[in-house]
Amino acid sequence: MTARTTSTVLVGRQAELGALTDALKRVRADEPAALLVGGEAGVGKTRLVEEFGRLAARDGARLLTGQCLELGEEGLPFAPFAAALREVLRRDGPAAFAGHEPEFARLLPELGPAGPQIAADSNRGYFFDLVAGLVGRLAADGPLVLVIEDLHWADRSTRDLIAFLVRSARTARMLLLCTYRTDELHRGHPLRPFLAELDRVRGVERVELARLDRDGTGEILADLLGSEPRPGTVESIHKRAQGNPFFIEELAACGDPNGCCEIPDTLRDLLLSRVDRLPEPAQRVLRIAAAGGSRFGHDLLLTVAGMPEPELEEALRAAVAAQLLVAIPEEGYEFRHALVREAVHDDLLPGEHVRLHARYAAAIEADPQLVVAGRAPAEIAHHWHAAHDHPRALTAALHAAAAAEARYAYAEQSRLLERALELWEQVPDAADRIGMDHLALVEETLRAAVAAGDYTRALSLTRAALGEVDSAAEPLRAARLLQRRGKLKRNFGKSDGVAELRQAYELARDAENGPERVRLLSHIAESLGPVAADEAARIAREAVAAAAGSDDATLHLSARITSTNVCSPASAADEALVEVTRVADTARELGDVTNLIRAQVSVSHLLFELGRYAESARTAAEAMPDARRVGIDRTSGAYLIANHAEALVALGRWDEAETLCAEAARLDPPGTLAVPWLEIRARLRLARGHAGAVGAVARVLGYLGKPYLSPQQRIPLYELRITAALAADDHAEAVAAATTALDDPVLPREPRYTWPLLVAAARAAVSADASAPDAVLAARIREIVDAVPARHPAERAAAAEVTATLAPPPEALAAWRAAVEARRTDGQPYQLAGALLAAATAAAAAGDRGAVASAVAEAATIAGQLGARPLAEQAATLARRVGLRDGGRPGAASDGLTSRELEVLRLVAEGHSNSRIAEELYISPKTASVHVSRIIAKLAVSNRVEAAAVAHRLGLLTPS
């Protein structure tokens, strides 16, 4: 039996190919789309993608492909993107990079010298934006298909960039197509949570490739053999290959007409059976090549093999002819399937394994040009580790970590430093080799973990470091670790961190004064502020005094910002704004970006509190580019985004706020730093009647289950819980949520967040019956109202609304008119519309139909502008109930209830049956029933009792 070794037909994948082509259609329509193609090794993922790529290219789409490298979590960062960008460079030239060649040169050294080294604490947001911009430009003229193969080998940086692109609004015309091996995803594999996270993103779909059935095996064999195979051959091969196309091809290539060649049942033996057919020199070269990875350069292999080049070429020629290797022009060679390389590599003898990896490491160290530019540090670290040369593996891991940091690959830096920690005990002179003690290495790893957003690991590292540090000998070092641990605990929601912060202060208090001590005191004070205000203020003043003896202007700025944030009384937001604005101006003059951003966070926060929403939005927006540049867009930048979005919501610019929430989602702030944007997004979706509102609300309310949330985070979540219950017409849940929330003792100290909570609680109190509020809840609300100052426009408007909500019916209309005017003064349109509808309801009950018409019309207009569907529906319902045309203008009776329907409604309200109504109005019982049904529909109620109640409340029974 003579057979080709690779099938030329795509078998049994029509449905999957259809899913890919449908996704490309959505991309052409500017809808986001990403496909995750999974399946076991050899099941045909690459073959499916190749067929789809051929069809896509035929239809005018551009195809870029990159492959992840089998170097593990510490591997070369962004390797598949480097390969894809290299394709762009070959086709389009440097001009495609739009003047950003220095930034991209970190991935493509052939572009020229790399740009200036980014600060150590910078992250990759700026670089990600550049990649997204490049992708957007490439997709401008037609759809772009970006294929990332073997995602199970992806490094953390590659996964982060993929997640960013999936969420990026600028890549709508790009189809991202990733393949991965499902049989590689063991329980702790980092791809598992990554895929789960992507599943929640709109436009992302998974396509799972199953094994082929027996008929599929027969089709592949018919193509390979060029004729219909015998049933016994199909049966035998299908039984052994179990429907895996690659295994089918391998078995068919064995030459046995019955598919029963002497090959062991295991995968490794199956793969090695073809290797064994090669001449011994070719087998030896394959073993050497397998240690170098799935793809390797000719010169590197020549150096490691140590054999004459003609002999090497002869051996390679045999491997290529057997289709075990594929020649790649200008690059070298690649194993046709990674499983072949794995099988060959796993078959190496222990000594052979160590020796080959050591030779690879030594060769690359001697000549880094033997590998693709930028790969040398990661390759060297990988090979020395695989060679079990612990001293060299340790130093190589440190060098590779530094290189990863330079590429913004903080997760890879963290992983390499973790490896260094693992190797420490196995290298007696480790400290001398790397120039730092074990504690310093732990601290370095801690910083990398924090930069990567791995708070869980960072917490463990702080515990380990604290176990090593001598607090008596190095009090500031210990204090720094305690302060970081306290802050991590708070940001992760594990505790308020007060115990650690107080310990840190005790150590720093009596330490020798200097820049490090001043910074520590400032950080401790700021961290203590939300939970121990008086203590924090005292420490902040101490930091200011300590900074007075220093010539370092940045120290003064840091201490002043902290002092302003924690020392200003709750009623002095305007004074605090003046001071922190001065600090921001000074920081700008000095070029102190870190303190400038801290100040801008405070400025935007204070401006919002004072009701200066446009200025707040502008301040936060202007600070974001600096946050990206210095790498704090996931920390301080997360607050800037939240402040900006909150101000946009207040201004009624909801679409822009939604866009900012999407940006925050791409940044994925760690721990409780995500709460502000999640809360804003949930609130917007609830107000707009979004299909995902329930899920968004549930996700952010889940944070209330954390052991600790700051008051600024938890109080808005209390209010959101009540609002969500009211939106679901769950009166009991709303009252219960309000009752629980009002027991929080911090409420009087947080007016900005407490007043919206009191508004929601008041609505809950009257949700069952506006004329008879829940007495216990209403009394508790009034107690807190008396204890909370109403200082600024939004707070005064909320206070007026609470008063109006709980007012008795005779006083309701006047109270709501006052609330409407207070909301106008504040200027937030959504809250104004809600007050207008409440005032309209009170006016209807008082019989003032003219006031109803104007209030409903204005509220409906605002709701339409905001896209607030539930609010618009409430306005429409009220308009219909009182007989208004177009949701707001008074109309004839026929526009609401007809005169006959009003007569019927009066009789319904008196408790008459349909028969009695028929007798009274001289109509048939059937006609009376029709009238009653229409009345119930027009009033948007469910029964006669509710119709009568609405009629009384809105004054519909009052003679015109």
Side-chain angles (χ1 to χ4, degrees):
M1 177 176 67
T2 303
R4 291 195 311 276
T5 56
T6 305
S7 174
T8 59
V9 296
L10 185 66
V11 174
R13 305 299 184 207
Q14 286 71 31
E16 293 83 357
L17 186 61
L20 269 61
T21 54
D22 287 343
L24 185 58
K25 290 177 183 177
R26 294 197 298 275
V27 168
R28 292 181 186 279
D30 290 336
E31 294 183 25
L35 289 173
L36 308 173
V37 181
E40 67 179 13
V43 81
K45 301 180 294 296
T46 299
R47 181 71 186 86
L48 171 66
V49 170
E50 288 174 348
E51 178 65 18
F52 168 70
R54 184 183 64 81
L55 297 174
R58 185 192 64 187
D59 292 337
R62 180 170 183 177
L63 193 70
L64 293 177
T65 302
Q67 187 157 8
C68 300
L69 303 177
E70 191 189 2
L71 293 177
E73 278 292 281
E74 75 281 10
L76 180 67
F78 309 116
F81 288 97
L85 294 177
R86 195 164 279 113
E87 289 185 38
V88 174
L89 179 60
R90 288 195 189 112
R91 174 172 166 176
D92 302 299
F97 298 91
H100 295 290
E101 291 88 343
E103 290 86 350
F104 283 103
R106 294 185 179 276
L107 291 187
L108 301 179
E110 51 265 53
L111 282 172
Q117 176 68 44
I118 303 299
D121 61 344
S122 300
N123 74 19
R124 300 151 297 176
Y126 177 60
F127 175 71
F128 285 10
D129 279 337
L130 291 180
V131 175
L134 174 60
V135 168
R137 293 192 299 274
L138 293 175
D141 297 327
L144 174 68
V145 179
L146 177 58
V147 178
I148 305 293
E149 292 247 41
D150 295 324
L151 194 58
H152 51 278
W153 286 333
D155 58 280
R156 170 69 181 275
S157 292
T158 294
R159 295 195 299 271
D160 287 350
L161 181 49
I162 288 171
F164 181 88
L165 293 176
V166 166
R167 295 179 171 96
S168 178
R170 291 175 293 167
T171 55
R173 290 175 60 81
M174 178 193 75
L175 172 61
L176 182 63
L177 185 56
C178 301
T179 69
Y180 63 95
R181 292 185 191 170
T182 54
D183 51 344
E184 290 277 352
L185 303 188
H186 54 77
R187 181 171 234 168
H189 198 290
L191 193 61
R192 292 172 70 96
F194 177 73
L195 294 175
E197 185 66 27
L198 289 186
D199 283 341
R200 296 196 289 268
V201 180
R202 185 172 71 90
V204 175
E205 293 181 39
R206 285 217 213 184
V207 176
E208 297 286 343
L209 297 190
R211 295 175 179 178
L212 299 175
D213 58 15
R214 185 185 180 281
D215 291 340
T217 298
E219 288 184 54
I220 288 181
L221 288 173
D223 178 66
L224 291 172
L225 301 174
S227 61
E228 185 72 14
R230 292 183 299 175
T233 301
V234 175
E235 189 65 35
S236 175
I237 291 182
H238 183 68
K239 182 178 180 180
R240 299 185 67 186
Q242 295 183 311
N244 186 296
F246 175 68
F247 301 162
I248 295 168
E249 293 175 354
E250 293 297 311
L251 287 172
C254 289
D256 189 316
N258 296 314
C260 297
C261 54
E262 293 296 324
I263 301 176
D265 291 336
T266 63
L267 171 61
R268 182 177 295 104
D269 290 343
L270 172 61
L271 296 169
L272 291 177
S273 67
R274 290 186 60 210
V275 175
D276 291 340
R277 293 175 183 269
L278 290 174
E280 176 54 34
Q283 292 188 42
R284 182 157 55 90
V285 168
L286 273 186
R287 289 195 294 272
I288 297 171
S294 294
R295 183 177 291 194
F296 51 90
H298 179 85
D299 291 341
L300 175 60
L301 185 62
L302 178 64
T303 302
V304 174
M307 59 194 301
E309 189 166 15
E311 293 181 21
L312 176 65
E313 290 176 344
E314 186 65 26
L316 289 170
R317 187 173 289 109
V320 171
Q323 297 201 34
L324 290 168
L325 294 179
V326 177
I328 304 174
E330 302 180 11
E331 291 190 26
Y333 303 90
E334 183 178 18
F335 281 88
R336 189 174 72 84
H337 199 291
L339 286 175
V340 175
R341 191 212 68 83
E342 290 177 21
V344 175
H345 183 263
D346 292 346
D347 200 46
L348 294 173
L349 296 173
E352 190 178 21
H353 179 280
V354 169
R355 188 169 58 254
L356 284 175
H357 279 289
R359 284 158 65 180
Y360 269 105
I364 300 170
E365 277 187 339
D367 185 4
Q369 302 300 318
L370 291 173
V371 296
V372 174
R375 283 181 56 178
E379 293 272 3
I380 293 168
H382 168 72
H383 288 301
W384 282 132
H385 185 64
H388 308 306
D389 189 325
H390 299 149
R392 288 189 174 97
L394 175 64
T395 55
L398 266 293
H399 292 150
E405 183 181 18
R407 291 173 177 267
Y408 324 110
Y410 299 115
E412 284 64 52
Q413 178 198 13
S414 175
R415 180 66 190 91
L416 286 158
L417 292 172
E418 291 280 3
R419 176 186 289 176
L421 286 174
E422 293 168 5
L423 291 168
W424 184 273
E425 295 297 334
Q426 303 172 60
V427 182
D429 59 344
D432 294 333
R433 285 181 175 272
I434 64 175
M436 65 174 73
D437 61 18
H438 186 262
L439 177 55
L441 178 58
V442 173
E443 290 175 315
E444 187 73 15
T445 309
L446 167 62
R447 283 190 288 272
V450 171
D454 189 354
Y455 281 7
T456 301
R457 180 55 181 159
L459 274 170
S460 298
L461 289 167
T462 58
R463 184 173 59 248
L466 286 166
E468 293 187 35
V469 70
D470 184 343
S471 59
E474 299 181 282
L476 287 179
R477 194 176 194 181
R480 183 175 64 244
L481 289 167
L482 283 165
Q483 184 273 330
R484 190 181 289 275
R485 182 168 177 80
K487 185 176 181 179
L488 281 167
K489 277 188 161 185
R490 190 188 70 178
N491 286 343
F492 209 57
K494 286 185 173 292
S495 78
D496 58 14
V498 167
E500 290 81 3
L501 293 167
R502 285 174 174 159
Q503 290 177 51
Y505 173 70
E506 290 299 319
L507 289 170
R509 181 185 56 191
D510 300 323
E512 182 179 354
N513 196 35
E516 185 177 4
R517 178 176 179 271
V518 174
R519 291 191 182 92
L520 264 175
L521 291 174
S522 293
H523 292 158
I524 292 167
E526 190 143 39
S527 297
L528 278 172
V531 288
D534 293 341
E535 187 176 353
R538 175 176 54 79
I539 298 172
R541 287 190 290 270
E542 189 174 337
V544 172
S550 172
D551 294 330
D552 188 341
T554 63
L555 284 182
H556 292 273
L557 288 177
S558 179
R560 285 173 61 191
I561 294 170
T562 300
S563 177
T564 301
N565 287 343
V566 303
C567 296
S568 298
S571 60
D574 47 356
E575 289 91 342
L577 178 62
V578 172
E579 170 61 15
V580 78
T581 300
R582 288 198 193 104
V583 171
D585 292 339
T586 304
R588 191 178 291 107
E589 292 170 5
L590 294 173
D592 183 356
V593 179
T594 300
N595 279 319
L596 172 60
I597 292 168
R598 285 185 65 206
Q600 296 292 67
V601 170
S602 296
V603 169
S604 60
H605 171 89
L606 291 167
L607 285 169
F608 185 96
E609 194 164 282
L610 292 167
R612 295 159 64 176
Y613 306 122
E615 293 173 77
S616 174
R618 185 168 58 253
T619 299
E622 289 172 352
M624 271 308 298
D626 286 332
R628 295 190 189 99
R629 182 164 60 87
V630 300
I632 56 175
D633 50 346
R634 294 185 74 226
T635 52
S636 296
Y639 291 117
L640 286 171
I641 288 179
N643 287 357
H644 189 191
E646 185 179 35
L648 291 175
V649 170
L651 292 167
R653 293 156 59 181
W654 285 13
D655 290 342
E656 296 174 64
E658 290 270 19
T659 300
L660 281 176
C661 288
E663 182 179 347
R666 290 193 296 272
L667 289 172
D668 190 23
T672 60
L673 289 146
V675 170
W677 79 263
L678 286 171
E679 182 252 325
I680 292 169
R681 185 183 68 172
R683 198 177 298 282
L684 281 172
R685 290 187 173 182
L686 198 62
R688 283 184 152 176
H690 190 283
V694 172
V697 169
R699 180 181 176 186
V700 70
L701 290 184
Y703 281 85
L704 286 173
K706 294 240 177 221
Y708 175 76
L709 276 182
S710 71
Q712 294 88 346
Q713 292 172 330
R714 69 176 182 264
I715 297 174
L717 295 190
Y718 292 154
E719 187 254 320
L720 178 63
R721 174 181 279 172
I722 300 168
T723 301
L726 291 171
D729 289 326
D730 190 339
H731 163 69
E733 170 61 20
V735 170
T739 302
T740 300
L742 297 184
D743 286 337
D744 195 318
V746 305
L747 297 183
R749 299 196 300 270
E750 298 288 344
R752 170 176 171 177
Y753 304 101
T754 298
W755 278 114
L757 170 62
L758 291 172
V759 170
R763 291 175 57 212
V766 300
S767 58
D769 186 347
S771 62
D774 183 293
V776 175
L777 181 55
R780 180 64 181 137
I781 292 169
R782 291 188 177 100
E783 287 178 17
I784 298 176
V785 164
D786 292 338
V788 182
R791 311 157 302 169
H792 309 303
E795 296 168 7
R796 289 192 286 269
E801 190 163 327
V802 170
T803 298
T805 303
L806 299 179
E811 302 172 15
L813 181 55
W816 275 114
R817 284 174 173 163
V820 166
E821 290 311 307
R823 287 297 185 191
R824 287 194 195 282
T825 300
D826 176 41
Q828 297 188 54
Y830 184 68
Q831 284 76 4
L832 172 60
L836 283 166
L837 281 184
T841 302
D848 188 347
R849 293 171 64 82
V852 174
S854 60
V856 169
E858 186 176 358
T861 299
I862 293 172
Q865 292 169 344
L866 297 176
R869 185 168 53 81
L871 187 66
E873 290 173 353
Q874 292 172 29
T877 298
L878 182 58
R880 187 168 58 249
R881 285 174 173 175
V882 298
L884 300 178
R885 178 188 295 120
D886 297 332
R889 288 177 292 138
S894 58
D895 290 319
L897 298 179
T898 65
S899 56
R900 174 62 81 181
E901 286 167 349
L902 285 171
E903 290 177 320
V904 172
L905 179 57
R906 292 189 186 98
L907 295 174
V908 168
E910 292 172 9
H912 294 304
S913 66
N914 288 348
S915 298
R916 179 60 179 163
I917 291 171
E919 293 176 5
E920 288 286 332
L921 300 180
Y922 302 100
I923 57 177
S924 70
K926 183 176 181 180
T927 300
S929 176
V930 171
H931 282 310
V932 171
S933 296
R934 287 177 177 169
I935 291 166
I936 289 173
K938 288 183 178 183
L939 295 181
V941 295
S942 56
N943 54 52
R944 300 163 70 98
V945 175
E946 290 183 7
V950 168
H952 282 294
R953 186 166 68 248
L954 298 184
L956 298 184
L957 305 183
T958 302
S960 300

